Amino acid sequence: MKTLLISYSLSGNNEAVANRIAKQLPADHLQLTESSKRGFFRISIDLIFNRTPKVQPTAIPMEDYDFVVLIGPVWMGKIAFPLRSCLSQLKKNLKPYAFVSVCGGSNGKHPTLEVELLKRTGIEPTAVIEMHIANLLPQNVEPSYKAINAYQLTDEDFDQLSLNVIEQLKTVLDKM
């Protein structure tokens, strides 16, 4: 089964996990980028106006693959807006897919992710894997927005998160 891994990362956390997963699955890896820097203000404006920003590459050869793994952050309970163009292309090609995210997690699991994915692609994801930075904080640190943003993931964290995702994805792929 030929797998395509598509990643977007603002902080670098999702990209570090994506690189490890692509090597170990194995999967072809396509990294999405934006031409201008993104900050909280642009994220908020995109949320308010439901915008899909332009990313590179613009065309993704999904028809060449049997399974697609999307990796990116969750912003304010929504899939990172730069991934929306991939979701639109996935809807046109209807491939089995999974969504993976390294996100803050101070409020726990995002209950609307699967609904959003279904709405944007027309098919349910085979897996939604959320890995929360809040779970990596030292036990004596309260999982607040400030503590989560200040926490720097280590190579050990990235390795552990990647192994967790690979185990779950291999279970999904074995059933296909």
Side-chain angles (χ1 to χ4, degrees):
M1 177 168 288
K2 194 167 180 189
T3 302
L4 175 63
L5 188 147
I6 303 170
S7 63
Y8 171 79
S9 187
L10 181 63
S11 66
N13 291 337
N14 283 284
E15 197 59 37
V17 170
N19 287 328
R20 286 164 170 82
I21 293 169
K23 288 177 189 171
Q24 293 177 33
L25 254 184
D28 292 340
H29 182 189
L30 182 66
Q31 180 182 3
L32 299 179
T33 58
E34 293 183 275
S35 59
S36 58
K37 188 150 175 75
R38 176 173 287 280
F40 182 76
F41 179 74
R42 253 182 82 205
I43 291 171
S44 300
I45 294 297
D46 285 349
L47 178 67
I48 291 168
F49 293 107
N50 197 29
R51 296 191 310 192
T52 300
K54 291 180 181 170
V55 295
Q56 294 296 324
T58 54
I60 301 169
M62 289 188 194
E63 63 277 355
D64 297 341
Y65 297 91
D66 305 304
F67 186 66
V68 177
V69 179
L70 301 166
I71 299 181
V74 174
W75 295 335
M76 296 180 235
K78 303 282 184 191
I79 295 161
F81 311 125
L83 284 171
R84 287 182 177 175
S85 63
C86 293
L87 297 172
S88 297
Q89 290 184 48
L90 192 56
K91 187 172 192 169
K92 294 174 189 168
N93 290 297
L94 292 180
K95 301 281 181 183
Y97 71 98
F99 178 75
V100 176
S101 181
V102 176
C103 52
S106 61
N107 295 326
K109 188 175 181 195
H110 297 93
T112 60
L113 285 182
E114 289 185 44
V115 173
E116 181 182 2
L117 288 164
L118 175 60
K119 176 183 165 190
R120 293 189 181 278
T121 64
I123 57 173
E124 290 185 18
T126 58
V128 174
I129 305 168
E130 291 183 64
M131 299 168 295
H132 299 135
I133 295 171
N135 296 336
L136 301 172
L137 296 174
Q139 293 212 353
N140 62 339
V141 176
E142 184 69 30
S144 66
Y145 179 78
K146 184 177 178 180
I148 290 167
N149 282 339
Y151 184 78
Q152 296 294 308
L153 276 79
T154 65
D155 281 339
E156 186 177 295
D157 292 334
F158 289 126
D159 289 341
Q160 185 57 48
L161 293 172
S162 301
L163 286 173
N164 179 22
V165 171
I166 290 165
E167 286 177 16
Q168 293 183 58
L169 289 177
K170 283 188 176 181
T171 300
V172 167
L173 290 169
D174 286 344
K175 293 177 183 177
M176 295 176 74

